Amino acid sequence: MSLPDLDLTERRQQVLRAVIEEHIASGQPVGSKTLVQSRGFAASASTLRYELAWLESVGLLGHPHTSAGRVPTELGYRFYAGALVAERAAPAPLPVDLSEATREIDDALRSTTEALSQVTSALAIATAPSVAQVDIRHVEILALQPQVVMVVVISGTGSVAKRVVAFDGEVDAGLAEWARTYLNETLTQGTITERSVRSRLEDPALDPRERAFLDAVAPVFHELYDAGADRLVVGGASRLMSELRAQDQTELNQLASVLEERAVMLAQLRTALRGDAVTVRIGEEHDDPALRPVAMITTGYGLPSRTLGAVSVIGPMRMDYARAIMAVRGAAAALSAYVEDVYDD
């Protein structure tokens, strides 16, 4: 968020904040009388009118022709949101219990985004941890029928890949047990790339029967990597559309199209992500024109040593930024605690 260097005195900051918060609450232009009556400013109405005019002259407020009051501009919202981010208010705990999402990161993301959307009345998005490298925690091979086994692979971030494999003949129980032991011994020693997994499955030292069995179960490991790449979980899309319903229909259709394009949204989140810092993008700050009617608040979640994903809310420019920033921080805190617990199991 890049802001020009303006001479905002303490009173001008207070006036700007009061106008924005009053406008967010009422949706109406805000005048000097409202500031005196509703916000308790000690300054006279004429002094406040002067300050409002100054804030308008530098582009922080606008002046609708049909009203004596002012409304925030995009730049005004940016100043306001930037001040809120700098205050580093404590995260707002979300009404979400992730204890039931045992080892299923997608369940945790769905629960978190839905709770975040309800709290903010905005669209909530979270990205799943990338699994270009996977911390495989456990491999299980279960006999379902004499010729059918199920392979389950659990990663350290909670991702679970499952595959049912049918063989032409009856599966040797000893061979299946060997494969389970071999895979757990060779693949659960820390993070591992897909290439390293393949090298263990295709080890020339294995005998033909062992290689054939591993070849049959190998696709489950590829699915684990594929499933973890560039996944988005979205909650509250209908809420955002309802908030924007009064805007230009063309803009609304463009926004809906962007939300359908996973790659576009992932790119937006990546460029906004700055570790665990909260970033705010409003209007023209978005690279994609279709996102310019909205504001996006983003932060990262993950382990103390590295960021695993992003969590964000997208809403109209006239959103409750204070609530949204605290809620996004709360969502990130909940997801970070969840993935730390999964990693530490």
Side-chain angles (χ1 to χ4, degrees):
M1 181 181 290
S2 177
L3 299 173
D5 185 17
L6 297 175
D7 180 23
L8 280 183
T9 63
E10 183 176 349
R11 183 164 66 190
R12 285 170 179 167
Q13 293 179 47
Q14 292 173 348
V15 170
L16 176 63
R17 185 167 191 153
V19 170
I20 292 176
E21 290 179 351
E22 189 69 28
H23 180 67
I24 288 172
S26 69
Q28 300 299 316
V30 180
S32 57
K33 290 183 179 179
T34 301
L35 294 178
V36 172
Q37 295 171 359
S38 300
R39 293 284 167 167
F41 276 89
S44 66
S46 61
T47 298
L48 291 174
R49 282 196 295 272
Y50 171 80
E51 299 291 26
L52 291 171
W54 187 92
L55 292 168
E56 181 181 355
S57 72
V58 296
L60 296 173
L61 296 178
H63 193 167
H65 296 301
T66 58
S67 170
R70 266 75 171 188
V71 296
T73 62
E74 284 188 21
L75 183 61
Y77 280 127
R78 289 179 198 138
F79 263 93
Y80 173 68
L84 290 173
V85 170
E87 289 173 4
R88 295 196 62 84
L94 286 186
V96 58
D97 180 9
L98 301 184
S99 62
E100 297 299 319
T102 307
R103 291 199 175 279
E104 289 285 1
I105 186 67
D106 285 355
D107 287 347
L109 293 175
R110 280 190 290 270
S111 297
T112 302
T113 54
E114 184 56 35
L116 182 57
S117 176
Q118 290 177 356
V119 167
T120 61
S121 298
L123 179 140
I125 298 177
T127 62
S130 172
V131 290
Q133 290 186 327
V134 174
D135 175 17
I136 295 177
R137 286 303 179 89
H138 187 70
V139 180
E140 192 60 64
I141 298 178
L142 305 170
L144 301 182
Q145 297 176 19
Q147 295 175 263
V148 179
V149 300
M150 181 171 68
V151 187
V152 181
V153 184
I154 302 172
S155 79
T157 59
S159 296
V160 177
K162 293 179 270 190
R163 189 177 182 90
V164 175
V165 182
F167 292 83
D168 293 335
E170 185 172 336
V171 176
D172 184 329
L175 180 61
E177 178 58 24
W178 167 86
R180 188 191 70 82
T181 302
Y182 173 78
L183 293 171
N184 279 293
E185 288 179 350
T186 58
L187 301 182
T188 61
Q189 304 304 312
T191 57
I192 186 169
T193 65
E194 189 170 9
R195 178 180 295 181
S196 296
V197 170
R198 185 175 288 109
S199 70
R200 286 153 174 79
L201 296 175
E202 299 174 358
D203 188 340
L206 299 172
D207 70 39
R209 290 178 68 248
E210 294 168 344
R211 283 284 300 275
F213 188 90
L214 294 181
D215 285 345
V217 303
V220 70
F221 295 96
H222 307 320
E223 289 174 8
L224 182 66
Y225 286 87
D226 292 342
D230 295 344
R231 296 199 327 278
L232 282 176
V233 177
V234 180
S238 60
R239 292 186 181 92
L240 178 60
M241 293 303 165
S242 296
E243 289 287 334
L244 299 178
R245 187 177 299 150
Q247 297 198 24
D248 182 83
Q249 189 64 43
T250 301
E251 288 185 348
L252 190 59
N253 291 339
Q254 288 175 343
L255 178 60
S257 297
V258 170
L259 296 177
E260 289 177 348
E261 291 293 332
R262 184 185 67 178
V264 173
M265 286 309 308
L266 284 165
Q268 293 293 324
L269 290 171
R270 288 195 191 101
T271 56
L273 192 57
R274 300 288 184 273
D276 63 352
V278 174
T279 62
V280 181
R281 287 190 171 181
I282 299 172
E284 294 294 325
E285 292 180 312
H286 294 297
D287 296 330
D288 194 308
L291 287 173
R292 290 175 185 168
V294 301
M296 182 169 73
I297 301 170
T298 306
T299 192
Y301 72 88
L303 303 172
S305 58
R306 63 191 175 102
T307 301
L308 295 176
V311 60
S312 178
V313 294
I314 298 176
M317 279 191 230
R318 190 175 67 84
M319 72 156 66
D320 187 338
Y321 289 91
R323 177 190 291 268
I325 289 170
M326 289 190 296
V328 166
R329 283 183 170 140
L335 287 171
S336 294
Y338 172 79
V339 295
E340 279 193 67
D341 184 59
V342 170
Y343 266 79
D344 291 340
D345 282 351

